[in-house]
Amino acid sequence: MASADSPIPYLERIRTYYQALGYGAPYVWAKFDHVPFQPLTKPLAACRVALVTTAAPYQPGKGDQGPGAPYNASAKFYGVYDGETAADPDLRISHVAIDRAHTTAGDQNSYFPLPALRKAVIDGRIGALTPSFYGLPTNRSQRTTMDIDCPDLVSRCRRESADVAILVPNCPVCHQSVALAAHALEEAGIATVIMGCARDIIEHIGVPRFLFSDFPLGNGAGRPHDVQSQDRTLDLALDLLRTADHPRTTQQSPLRWADDDSWKDDYCNIGKLSREEISRRRAEFDRGKETAQALRDATKAR
């Protein structure tokens, strides 16, 4: 069982889980020897900040996307999108492999820290938000992410004169997507910090700055329905932007999910599943892959 001082070993859990489901060779995660690092060139109080999310806009007619919804492949998106930071979007994470046993995605602010960022502007901790926030798709294809999605994201951030980008992933592959995006943004002169919950994935890949919250996936911006936790988590991310002086800097949030750490033992733990449950999950995952492939094909055809 993972302890309070031992984060969930996502790489190991995911490898054994999908092998048990019968998918053969394990997924090969990105890994970099060189990590770019862009120091802040001016105080945060004078910086324009971009928010990057892997959450999906709610799509009526695409099935259950509400709190506690099961995996919903039809609600995925496959291209970078943007929305107005002056508005309050309806974003969901029913499409990703978050920890559904211990969290429900019932509070958007636990994975999309726009309200906390608005307060940071009012308090003078950051200069401004870019007019848009940006949605980054969760593509298992690293080549697609690096060759298509990252250049698109960089172009949008440059167009709105972003000095800094805060990236908030949800599922395991989301963490990889934002890690790749952080590389591209830093190389473009935009300093980044990732607020996430999968420490081993991020540190395996290598990123400039990472604020680690030892929470179930889907809560990288703080505990749900806990404004104090969300504000504190953003403050820690902003502090990391100010204080980090070299790449691969990880800071762990002192906040805890619960007094009991048994929740860490459940995520993708194949030893806790019956043969019948493994078969059911394999069939469900296959259906999801078929739906996702159809959506990708339709996106390419447009």
Side-chain angles (χ1 to χ4, degrees):
M1 179 183 298
S3 71
D5 298 321
S6 177
I8 293 174
Y10 286 102
L11 294 172
E12 176 188 346
R13 292 270 186 92
I14 292 167
R15 182 178 64 252
T16 57
Y17 179 81
Y18 285 104
Q19 284 180 329
L21 263 58
Y23 288 109
Y27 182 70
V28 179
W29 297 86
K31 185 177 177 65
F32 292 96
D33 294 327
H34 170 70
V35 176
F37 185 82
Q38 172 63 48
L40 290 182
T41 58
K42 53 188 173 183
L44 266 177
C47 286
R48 177 173 281 202
V49 178
L51 174 59
V52 180
T53 180
T54 59
Y58 174 64
Q59 301 177 65
K62 292 291 186 72
D64 188 2
Q65 299 158 63
Y71 172 68
N72 185 346
S74 65
K76 288 175 69 69
F77 65 99
Y78 291 96
V80 177
Y81 72 87
D82 56 44
E84 296 180 5
T85 54
D88 292 306
D90 184 359
L91 304 182
R92 310 292 179 95
I93 53 174
S94 59
H95 65 296
V96 296
I98 63 168
D99 185 340
R100 288 181 169 82
H102 299 283
T103 190
T104 66
D107 180 8
Q108 177 174 291
N109 300 335
S110 69
Y111 55 85
F112 185 68
L114 183 56
L117 281 165
R118 287 173 178 158
K119 283 187 277 187
V121 174
I122 293 171
D123 294 342
R125 286 173 289 153
I126 59 176
L129 293 174
T130 55
S132 303
F133 69 87
Y134 311 104
L136 181 71
T138 303
N139 284 307
R140 286 173 59 87
S141 167
Q142 296 164 32
R143 183 57 55 195
T144 297
T145 300
M146 290 189 292
D147 290 354
I148 298 175
D149 302 330
C150 288
D152 189 356
L153 176 65
V154 169
S155 176
R156 293 172 191 242
C157 287
R158 278 178 161 169
R159 190 159 58 241
E160 296 193 340
S161 302
D163 303 298
V164 168
I166 295 176
L167 304 97
V168 190
N170 295 296
C171 77
V173 179
C174 287
H175 280 71
Q176 176 174 264
S177 296
V178 299
L180 299 178
H183 277 243
L185 288 164
E186 297 269 344
E187 289 173 344
I190 299 171
T192 66
V193 62
I194 294 171
M195 301 167 63
C197 301
R199 181 169 185 163
D200 64 332
I201 293 175
I202 289 293
E203 292 186 338
H204 172 85
I205 297 168
V207 302
R209 306 168 189 82
F210 176 49
L211 175 66
F212 169 59
S213 293
D214 198 6
F215 293 168
L217 293 173
N219 297 280
R223 286 190 294 258
H225 308 293
D226 184 341
V227 174
Q228 185 176 7
S229 167
Q230 294 161 8
D231 289 345
R232 176 63 175 145
T233 302
L234 178 64
D235 282 344
L236 290 168
L238 296 178
D239 286 343
L240 186 55
L241 276 164
R242 279 192 295 266
T243 60
D245 58 7
H246 60 276
R248 301 183 190 272
T249 298
T250 296
Q251 178 179 337
Q252 180 165 343
S253 168
L255 302 178
R256 293 187 62 184
W257 181 254
D259 293 334
D260 180 0
D261 291 294
S262 60
W263 63 270
K264 297 183 183 183
D265 204 36
D266 293 333
Y267 185 85
C268 282
N269 191 336
I270 205 68
K272 291 193 166 189
L273 303 179
S274 67
R275 185 175 299 177
E276 292 74 19
E277 177 63 11
I278 291 172
S279 296
R280 186 194 70 79
R281 293 193 182 196
R282 167 66 192 248
E284 180 181 64
F285 192 77
D286 284 344
R287 288 193 296 272
K289 287 202 302 181
E290 291 173 1
T291 299
Q293 185 60 56
L295 283 172
R296 281 194 293 270
D297 293 343
T299 300
K300 290 177 182 178
R302 288 201 288 268

